[in-house]
Structure formats: C-alpha cells, structure tokens
Amino acid sequence: MILFYMSIQEPVQSKEIRQKFVEFFKRKEHVVLPSSSLVPQNDPTALFNVAGMQPLVPYLMGKPHPDGGMLTNSQKCFRTVDLDNIGDNTHCTFFEMLGNWSLGTYFKKEAIAWSYEFLTKELQLDPERLLATVFEGNETVPQDDEAIALWKETGLPEDRIYPCDAEENWWPDYGASGPCGPDSEIYYDLKPGAPHTNPAYDGQRYIEIWNLVFMEFTCDGEGNFTKLEKKNVDTGGGFERFAMILQGKSSVYETDIYDAYFSLLSQALSISYPAYEKEWESMSQDEQETTKRLRIIVDHIRAATHLIGDGVSPTNEGRGYVLRRIIRRAVFSQVLLAEGSKVDFTSLVDAVVENYKEVYPILLERRDTIVSTLSQEVEKFTKTLQKGRKLLESKIHELKNIHASVLSGEHAFELYDTFGFPLSLTKEIAELHKIEVDEDGFGLAMAGQKKRSREGSKDMFSRGKEHVQTMLHGLPKTVFKGYEYAQNSSLPLLVHEAKVLQVIALEEGVHALICDETVFYAESGGQVGDAGTIMIEDILFVVSDTQKYDDVIVHFGGFDGVDVGNLMGKGAHLAVDEDRRKRVMASHTAAHLLHTALRKHLGDTVEQAGSYVDQYRTRFDFSFGRALTKVEISQIEEEVNSVIEAWQPVTKEELSMAEAKEKGAIGLFTEKYGDTVRVVAIGGTYSVELCGGTHVSNTSEIGIAKVFKDSSVASGVRRIEMATGRNVHEYMIEADGILDRLQEETKAPSSTALVEKIVGQKLKIKELESEMVSMKKEVAKGQLGALSDRVQDINGSKVLVALVEASNPGEIKEMAGMIRSQNMASIGLLVSKDGAFVLFSDSDDLSAKVLFNTIKTTTGGNGGGNDTMVQGVGMDVEKAMKVNVL
C-alpha cells in the first residue's frame, strides 16, 4: 500500500473529516445547512443532485438565502456520468461533497486562505504535496493574477501554481450565458519525489481534492462578459478523496467508509478482496476483475440504499430507471463473481444505514422500505437475468456456429423490450464470448419505440418551460393568497386584484403571465395547478395551468384572440375556476384519508411513494410488496368513507418543523422544507401530514369516495386510484349504463339473474371449446396419415416438409407435437396456407433456430423459439414447399 506522509500519528476516521470540515467553517461564521435530498426539489429538469452547489443555484444566481450569505454543509450527491469508471480508485456513483459558500460576502482572499488553513492545519496534510491550478486567461478575460498572488501569500510556491485554460479552470462552460467565473483547483501529490508537472493532466500522480469557484462575471452567451456587483464563492471538496489521503490509501474503496461492506460481501461470496493485499498494478488480470466487480457491488448497493431512502423507486424511466440499472449491475456483477451464489444484500443495506444513520437519519427511518424495495427488485431481476441470459447465450451460440461476431441491434433490443435486459449487460455478456453488439441498431430500435410510445406526450407548457425559466431571473417572489384570502374583503374567495409583472410569448397562442400576487395554486406536491381567468382591463387571459419556478408562480394559457400589447404594470383581476378547485380539494383531502387508511389496515411500513390529485381522481402510490385483496380494498374504502361521514374538521396551521414532528406529522421528509411548515390535520389526530396543498374545511365536503383501481407501478410500489364526490356519481351512472346494456343484451330481469346467465354462458362456451379441440385433434389425426407419405430419408434423418390445414399457429404446433410423439419425423417444416409455420428438430446436431436462419433467406418469415422448435408467420408457402431444410 502507498502510505502518505502526515504529521498525525493515527489515520483520521471518515466521520471526523466531515465533522472537522463543518466545525471549521462554523467557526468562520458560516451557517451549517442540512444536506438536501438526492432528488432536486427546485429543478424538475435534473434527475439528481450531482454536485454540492446544485441545491444552492438559485441563491448563487442572486436570490437571498434565508440563512444569510455564509453557508457550509456536507451534501450527498449521485452521478452516473462516470458509471463505466466505477471500480477504479476514485470514482463513485454516490459521494459526499463538502462545501462552503459566500453569497456576496467574502471572495477569493478568504476562500483561498481558509482552504489552505483547513488542509494544512485541521487535516495536517503535508504542504509540500499541495498544488493549485488557476485560470490562465484568454483574449476576453485576463489571467487570474489575483488568485496566483493569494496562493503565494499562503506559502504555496509559484512552481506549484499552474495556469490552465478555460476547459480546466472556468465554471460553468466558458461562454455559457449567466453568472460564471474562473476557478482554482487544489491537487494532492500521490507520488512525491519527482519534479512536478501540471496536475490537471496527470491523473495517475495527482488527485483533485477541492475546487474553489469565483463567480465574478455574467456572460450574455455571445462572448461578452460583465463584472457582477455581487460576487459569490462556491467550493466543493471530495469527502471520500479526503478520507483516501488521510488514511494513507491508494483508493477510496480501501478507506473505513467501505470496510464493513467488503467484509460482509467477501464472507457471503467466499471471495477475498484483492485490493487489501496488493496494489492494482501488481494484480493479475483475474484479480483486477474481481476487485472491480466487488467494488461495483459495494458502490451500487450503497448508492441504491441512499436513493431509495430519498424516495426513488425502481421504474423504467427517469430516476427509477437509473436506480434499477445500478441494482441490476450489482446483481450481475455478483453472478459473474460467484455463479450459483445468492447474496442477501440486506446485510449490506444495514451496514450502510449503520454508517450514515447519524448524519442522514432518514435511512434508519426508511430501513424496512429500503430492504423491501431492494429485495424485490433483486429477486425480479434474478429471474429476468436467468431467462434473458439463456436466450442471449443461445443467440451467441448460433453466431459462433456461423462464424459471426456481431449481435444485431434488433436482437439486443428484443432482450431489452421482452425481458428488461439492459444493453450494458448484453454487452458485458457478449464481451465474455468476444462478440460485439450493434449499438447503433439498438439505438434505432429504441428510438422507434420511444417515438411510438410518447407521441404527443409533451404539452405546450413543457415545450416552453426552459424559455420561461431564463426569463424569470430578477422577478420577486410571488405572494400566494389562495389559502385564506377574503378576510376583510367583500370579494369572494379565489378572486383577487393584482398587478402584471411580465408576459412571455411561448408559441402561437400560448403565453406565460406572472403577477405580483395570485390566488392560483401552482402544481406542487402532486396537486394539479389551478385553472381560471385573468382580466387585464378588457383583455381576457384564460389560464389552463399554473406552475411554480423557485418562488415565482407562472400562469400558462392564452389571450382571447386579441393583440395584447404592453401589459406590464397593469392591474389584473384573477378568478380561479372555483368548481374545479373544490373538486381538486376534495381529491387531495381524500388522498390524506387514504394514506391513513392504508397504514391502519396494511401496517405502518406503508409509505407514500408519490401522488397526483386533480378534479377527477386521487392517484396514490405507496410502498407495498403485493396486490391488495378485495377484502382489503373494501376495508380501506369503508375506512375512508367512515371518516367522510363523521364530518371531521380539516385544520391547517403553520408550525416549526420540530413542532410538526412532535405533533406526529408525517410526510415526504425527503423533500426540502423551510423552518416553518404547513400541517394539515383531519379529525384532530386522525391524519396529520406536512402539506402545502389546498384542502376542504370538513370531510363532509368530499361527499363519498370510491376505489376503482389497484395496480403495480414498480417493484414494491402499488397504486390506488380513487374517485370522490360528483365523480363517484358519474362513475356510478356509467357503471349503471353498462349494467343496463348487459341486462338488455342477455334478457336478464335483474343483476342477480345477469350473473347467473353469464356463468351459464361461460360453461357453455367451455363445453363448445372442448368439443372444438376434440374435433381439431381428429382432423389433425386425419392429416397425419397423408403426411407420413411425404416423409423423406435424407442423410439418415427422417425429414418432413408439408402444407397443412390449420386455422392458427397453435394448431400447427399441436400437429408437430403429434408427429414428434409418433417418431414420424425428426426434422419437419409444417406451413399453413396463410404462411404460419412450425419448424422442429429433434436432432442433437441440428438446431431448429440455425435451420430457420438458413432457410429464411429463401422462404421469408419471422419467428422465434429455441433449438428444438421455431414458430412464426409470414413464410412464402410456394417457396417453403420447395426448400431443402438440410
């Protein structure tokens, strides 16, 4: 192992590093912030928080932070851009970024001095092994001489300060519009002794441990830079990399952060972790592969634990797909390491929870959900892997038989589409057999599917969203008056006078309108945004949707066919569609009742996994490992209605987070709340939840609730859909109409008689189907005699090629089964008049799939199967009758 020089006697434990960092900057008068969730709360365009500064972007761009202008924290992050590098010495999917920020307070002098002080005094790193890079300047922005001078003041000699271009030392991309500036990156020398080189270009010798970004310009996107009046500092230091250096390791994976995980995994697989004994360069190829696989498992299960803890569930899109992908990579790596071994990842989850429970207590709170979700996904993918791998290896065997070396994109996509088999795993398995995968072909197949499945899915608002966000900078926070407006006013609820701040044209007939105040509720927390009208003098604006970007509420819609002109600063009369809002409110309060009922009847382990409420329904997602029984659904529905009928009050109050938790409030605590939260309580203590949505004042306003669907949306996640109030009435009218139609068609005098008639007809249909099957078997037997005359002996094999009478492929398959059971032929091609076919082979030397691939260039047809039988459609009958299958 490489042992780094440090003036301290014992290696610093990782927990101490995190604590040292926040305490250091706390002494420098910084406010310590809690980590945000891995799921961004104010940026719907991003899947995850990938950097420590990401949750603070609105404040770095000028918005005042409630905790002031000097901040610090340890932010958990998740990044997949380096997924293929996981398993090397420094890359992780989940990692922590230690950061400190100045929002218009201190600047370069303090940032550089404090970073050097922390590294050399607090962590006691050898100053001789520290280097820095700075922006070298160009024709537009000069070299950052100020940073160079400040580094010299700390004691860093000039020969360890390296100017670099904008690609290395500018944030964000050079020339991008918005706030920006040079940065200074701090590196640590892993292999001291030789003359120094530029650390930005030597990743083997140096490791970047800290980046200081100095936001002092704004760019117009066309290469013009202007100095900012209010300059910011954004820094980020790698927690895992600090631990690697301070503990004298050559990899982040050998630090105490990971020790417990490798110990458990090695014991479960009966495999030692090679990196504990050898440096990477001295390992054999097999040892390097084992090391990488073990690291992938540990990294991915650690990351999955944090993702599920922050409310992400495995799905086929977005965040859920990323989670599903890393779980599957972990499972696949385990299979490659120890074929036949089945590892219970629960012990790894518990080790992660134990390691982080003090700093991220949500992991302990959601431990059971994490274990349940992970276990179900692992079990599901294990079965998928077995099926998909068998099919893939069969295809690889075929390719080798014909000396081919490329698996088609079509076949790779078939594995993905049918078995959920990721392309990455297909590539890994194929590589083991020295087979390439046509990724371009896979991409074309995938693109075709996405185009078909998502045609027209983007609405007019999502298309203009990015444009809207760029236009909102500098606008004040919208004052929301939609909860309790109307005190001391003669105006009815949900009507308000306001002032227009901005009108943004998005596309033909579509605008975004922003006022200083509004009674329109913006979509949030699963509740749909309000609709209604806004009158500006004599101009009507019809609001179709309301959204919120940070603290600015935006009304989307269109003007009533007039040239709007300049409306800035004019008075506006806002009126929410009250009937629609009332129905939404009923749906939302019913969602809270449903949540409580689910926990009461299914257990406290049930946790909300998402919701959506609009004027038509309540859609509620929750963690649960199986389908609900009819009895359970009935009990839950009855529970909700009993509270509705009890006329329970619904109260809303603003409390501190501590008061809310003391009151027993539940909610998606992965969301970022302020110091003050809104608590919605039903019936006093029956249901108490954190919620910013709108609600009825009494449960009686809901009227009635009816569950009409229970389904699965992801592994370990169920969905209940429920209607309320007038929607239930409309639902029942529709159901009654269907019932009346059925009674009319069957001449049944009552619903009871209708059931009896349907049961009787089902029995008759079964009898007729049984008779039909018997008749078809007789017909098939009749054909067998004629077919036996067509059997030929070719090279010692009994071969049959024949046109058969059959109404569907199933009948052809049954006929092939009879032929094989009677040993009439060992190889056969049976084709119906419409081109449906079955090709079978009972020969050990000749695969039915290989035979089909050989003849289909002549006969055409599409089909699939295995080595003993292929069936399909589209074969040219005339050519098939002339083909030589051997």
Side-chain angles (χ1 to χ4, degrees), residues 315-348:
T315 61
N316 287 328
E317 288 188 340
R319 298 182 185 99
Y321 174 71
V322 175
L323 172 60
R324 173 162 283 168
R325 184 182 178 193
I326 64 171
I327 293 173
R328 290 180 169 185
R329 283 187 98 229
V331 174
F332 184 65
S333 292
Q334 179 254 302
V335 169
L336 290 181
L337 280 171
E339 188 80 54
S341 298
K342 186 176 181 181
V343 175
D344 181 4
F345 290 128
T346 301
S347 59
L348 284 181

Side-chain angles (χ1 to χ4, degrees), residues 248-261:
K249 307 298 182 182
S250 57
S251 160
V252 296
Y253 290 100
E254 276 72 80
T255 63
D256 67 338
I257 299 171
Y258 294 91
D259 281 347
Y261 315 146

Side-chain angles (χ1 to χ4, degrees), residues 429-500:
I429 294 174
E431 284 172 9
L432 295 175
H433 297 275
K434 303 190 184 311
I435 295 290
E436 295 180 18
V437 178
D438 177 11
E439 294 186 57
D440 291 339
F442 178 90
L444 288 173
M446 173 69 85
Q449 187 208 49
K450 285 184 176 179
K451 184 178 180 181
R452 292 189 297 273
S453 65
R454 297 181 183 176
E455 191 70 40
S457 64
K458 289 190 175 181
D459 59 33
M460 60 184 180
F461 307 128
S462 63
R463 288 195 295 270
K465 182 169 62 177
E466 184 176 345
H467 176 54
V468 170
Q469 286 180 300
T470 63
M471 300 289 286
L472 298 181
H473 183 60
L475 286 180
K477 176 181 179 180
T478 307
V479 179
F480 179 60
K481 296 279 191 174
Y483 287 139
E484 307 297 341
Y485 181 75
Q487 296 96 326
N488 305 315
S489 172
S490 60
L491 291 173
L493 185 66
L494 306 181
V495 176
H496 187 60
E497 300 297 330
K499 183 174 69 176
V500 176

Side-chain angles (χ1 to χ4, degrees), residues 60 103 192 270 308 373 392 465 540 606 668 730 763 773:
L60 290 167
L103 307 177
S270 298
I308 300 169
T373 302
L392 175 57
K465 182 169 62 177
L540 176 66
V606 166
L668 290 174
E730 293 167 359
L763 289 173
V773 169

Side-chain angles (χ1 to χ4, degrees), residues 96-131:
E96 291 178 82
M97 192 65 77
L98 305 174
N100 61 285
W101 296 274
S102 163
L103 307 177
T105 54
Y106 62 84
F107 200 47
K108 294 181 186 178
K109 181 177 181 179
E110 294 84 352
I112 289 174
W114 289 341
S115 64
Y116 191 78
E117 180 185 349
F118 176 74
L119 292 172
T120 59
K121 304 298 184 185
E122 290 293 316
L123 298 187
Q124 299 184 43
L125 294 183
D126 180 2
E128 298 298 319
R129 300 177 73 166
L130 295 177
L131 300 89

Side-chain angles (χ1 to χ4, degrees), residues 384-550:
T384 296
L385 186 60
Q386 291 169 348
K387 294 178 183 177
R389 195 173 181 186
K390 185 176 180 181
L391 182 61
L392 175 57
E393 289 180 343
S394 173
K395 176 56 63 180
I396 289 172
H397 180 68
E398 289 179 27
L399 292 172
K400 287 186 173 182
N401 280 346
I402 58 174
H403 305 292
S405 61
V406 179
L407 179 72
S408 73
E410 184 181 12
H411 282 119
F413 183 73
E414 179 189 357
L415 284 166
Y416 170 84
D417 200 34
T418 306
F419 296 100
F421 212 69
L423 177 63
S424 56
L425 293 190
T426 299
K427 286 171 59 182
E428 290 194 54
I429 294 174
E431 284 172 9
L432 295 175
H433 297 275
K434 303 190 184 311
I435 295 290
E436 295 180 18
V437 178
D438 177 11
E439 294 186 57
D440 291 339
F442 178 90
L444 288 173
M446 173 69 85
Q449 187 208 49
K450 285 184 176 179
K451 184 178 180 181
R452 292 189 297 273
S453 65
R454 297 181 183 176
E455 191 70 40
S457 64
K458 289 190 175 181
D459 59 33
M460 60 184 180
F461 307 128
S462 63
R463 288 195 295 270
K465 182 169 62 177
E466 184 176 345
H467 176 54
V468 170
Q469 286 180 300
T470 63
M471 300 289 286
L472 298 181
H473 183 60
L475 286 180
K477 176 181 179 180
T478 307
V479 179
F480 179 60
K481 296 279 191 174
Y483 287 139
E484 307 297 341
Y485 181 75
Q487 296 96 326
N488 305 315
S489 172
S490 60
L491 291 173
L493 185 66
L494 306 181
V495 176
H496 187 60
E497 300 297 330
K499 183 174 69 176
V500 176
L501 295 183
Q502 194 161 11
V503 179
I504 305 169
L506 300 179
E507 55 184 63
E508 186 66 33
V510 182
H511 288 76
L513 189 150
I514 300 99
C515 296
D516 60 342
E517 298 181 351
T518 187
V519 285
F520 283 75
Y521 181 82
E523 181 173 333
S524 180
Q527 178 177 326
V528 69
D530 276 334
T533 59
I534 298 177
M535 286 293 297
I536 308 161
E537 295 180 344
D538 59 346
I539 298 173
L540 176 66
F541 182 75
V542 180
V543 181
S544 302
D545 188 26
T546 308
Q547 297 287 324
K548 187 175 183 180
Y549 301 94
D550 293 327

